[in-house]
Amino acid sequence: MSVSVLSSTRALGSISGILQVASLLCLVLLLLLKAAQLYLRRKWLLKALQQFPCPPSHWLLGHQQEFQNDQELQQLQKRVEKFPCACPRWLWGCEATFLVYDPDYMKIILGRSDPKVHDDCRFLAPWIGYGLLLLNGQTWFQHRRMLTPAFHYDILKPYVGIMANSVRVMLDKWEELISQDSHLEIFEHVSLMTLDTIMKCAFSQQGSIQTNRNSQSYLQAIGDMKKLTFSRVRSFFYQNDIIYGLTPEGRRNRWACQLAHQHTDRVIELRKVHLQEEGEMEEVRRKRHLDFLDILLFARMEDGSCLSGKDIRAEVDTFMFGGHDTTASGISWILYSLAVHPEHQHRCRKEIQSLLGDGTSITWDQLDQMPYTTMCIKEALRFYPPIPVIRRELSKPVTFPDGRSLPRGIKLSLSFYGLHHNPKVWPNPEVFDPSRFAPGSDLHSHAFLPFSGGPRNCIGKNFAMMELKVAVALTLLRFELAVDPFRVPIPVSKIVLSSKNGIHLQLRKLL
Ligand code: HEM
């Protein structure tokens, strides 16, 4: 080997050595900078939250032990009893959320226009896009104004029949299943039924997804996205978009999103073609009832412009997301509550029987004529709020009625579960007592918030209450419900309130 080759190899070796040392130094510097940033964030949070006591927390792991063994709701209950109005919860050493469970605090926050937490939106957006649920500011306001007519009574009325049909398909299935075994896990069935309903109401899906398997891949995609999104929210390692995208879970999520979007796009395209043939809105209305998709396609902004294709898909996906697991959770927990309290179940059934007879038909007007059943539904929504918590990020400082305050930038968790189980608001909160909702009862305007409150309350509230009433009424006419003493549900907060071990009931057919 010649001398010149040897010396150039040595030179190259020393350059690469220098490069290695330099990159190591850069890395150490970056880590030090990050550590300093985290330290400063922790110091800032400690100062910002100092007026609000909370249980002792680990400097690195925060209150992580509260999330273990699905003890979150029990731990929350202890906090509500011990720390008035609100308290901080440390997610880890340098990240905290401010838990709120007092009606006056809720009123102040829900009356403001603080945006949703950026990370929550980041995780959901690939699926549901920037529709009403994730939008903020002026664009949210415009969309809300434009979409409010989609939930007008005239639009909702014909949905009673669609809902009743979907419920009947589910009850027929139950009848068949209990001929072999009277025990049934209901959450899965109810979830499929509410998805069926919303697909019919949102875009007039033909046939029932509960019995035919044509939409199987779409259903699979929705199921996957629900599980994957939740697991991402909770995992420290899945927070970064690039890292998540490289993991098998991230790839599955992307694939499921694509599949669901293709489905929604196809439905929208087909409808556009139909509408071109059918003519203007009034003409279409004369021929058939309008569904949510028609309303979206006909919707106009103040300046006369219509929603873009991307916006329409986001709104359809948002309705699908917002409108099926929530109602499934509501219906399942209401039926469970009535199974636990046969005396209330009996009284509801009497009321429904005298109103509907054998239940062959059910109308919009009848839904307003079941006061006791409505009280029980509300009490179950108090006890088991389908959306146990929502989040906001303060865009400006806030001062609460007791004089304590928080600076801009603090993340808030508005805990409806905590509020609904707060003994200062609800005496004996662990007692199921429908009389709390008797006409004339004196409730704080922000004591009962299953559908949130203020300008960003649930736009689908009336639709949801209709569906809950139809499902409860028709189920009680057909079955007597009892609990399964060996499989008592364990409520867990998973975007919606579900049960760790399912919701098991024993059913006995009536008639
Ligand atoms: C029992 C059933 C339901 C419950 C408990 C429920 C609860 C809620 C809550 C708590 C919010 C506030 C979310 C937040 O501010 O972060 C919300 C918003 C929303 N819900 Fe519901 N919901 C239900 C059913 C529905 C249905 C059936 C639909 C649609 C068909 C729907 C569509 C929406 C939409 C689009 C929003 C966003 C509204 C906005 O920000 O302007 N929800 N819902």
Side-chain angles (χ1 to χ4, degrees), residues 110 116 131-135 140 144 147 151 198 292 315 318-331 381 385-392 416 449-453 455-461 463-465 467-468:
L110 291 172
K116 308 248 164 141
L132 260 194
L133 198 64
L134 301 189
L135 283 171
W140 165 78
R144 177 92 186 196
L147 297 180
F151 293 88
I198 193 75
F292 286 145
E315 294 303 352
T318 297
F319 286 169
M320 302 293 295
F321 171 76
H324 98 271
D325 250 12
T326 46
T327 38
S329 166
I331 293 167
L381 290 176
I387 302 277
V389 62
I390 62 170
R391 305 223 299 153
R392 294 288 187 270
F416 300 137
L449 296 175
F451 297 103
S452 186
R456 284 210 82 153
N457 69 352
C458 175
I459 197 170
K461 178 179 163 178
F463 178 99
M465 279 306 281
E467 196 174 357
L468 301 187

Side-chain angles (χ1 to χ4, degrees), residues 56-75:
S57 72
H58 187 276
W59 69 272
L60 180 64
L61 303 175
H63 291 118
Q64 278 296 330
Q65 81 282 3
E66 286 189 11
F67 299 115
Q68 259 123 56
N69 307 324
D70 301 310
Q71 291 292 304
E72 197 180 330
L73 294 175
Q74 285 93 319
Q75 295 294 338

Side-chain angles (χ1 to χ4, degrees), residues 93 156 278 462 495:
L156 296 184
E278 283 182 297
N462 292 329
I495 305 182

Side-chain angles (χ1 to χ4, degrees), residues 2-9:
S2 74
V3 175
S4 65
V5 172
L6 264 180
S7 60
S8 59
T9 314

Side-chain angles (χ1 to χ4, degrees), residues 453-495:
R456 284 210 82 153
N457 69 352
C458 175
I459 197 170
K461 178 179 163 178
N462 292 329
F463 178 99
M465 279 306 281
M466 277 166 69
E467 196 174 357
L468 301 187
K469 287 183 186 176
V470 170
V472 171
L474 296 183
T475 308
L476 290 188
L477 283 181
R478 203 86 81 96
F479 298 103
E480 188 175 73
L481 313 172
V483 287
D484 178 344
F486 300 106
R487 281 175 285 197
V488 176
I490 303 167
V492 282
S493 179
K494 279 194 175 183
I495 305 182

Side-chain angles (χ1 to χ4, degrees), residues 222-241:
I222 292 212
D224 280 354
M225 285 187 297
K226 273 192 301 199
K227 282 191 209 117
L228 294 168
T229 306
F230 181 71
S231 98
R232 183 171 185 198
V233 171
R234 285 282 159 106
S235 166
F236 180 77
F237 301 103
Y238 289 166
Q239 303 291 307
N240 182 287
D241 284 342

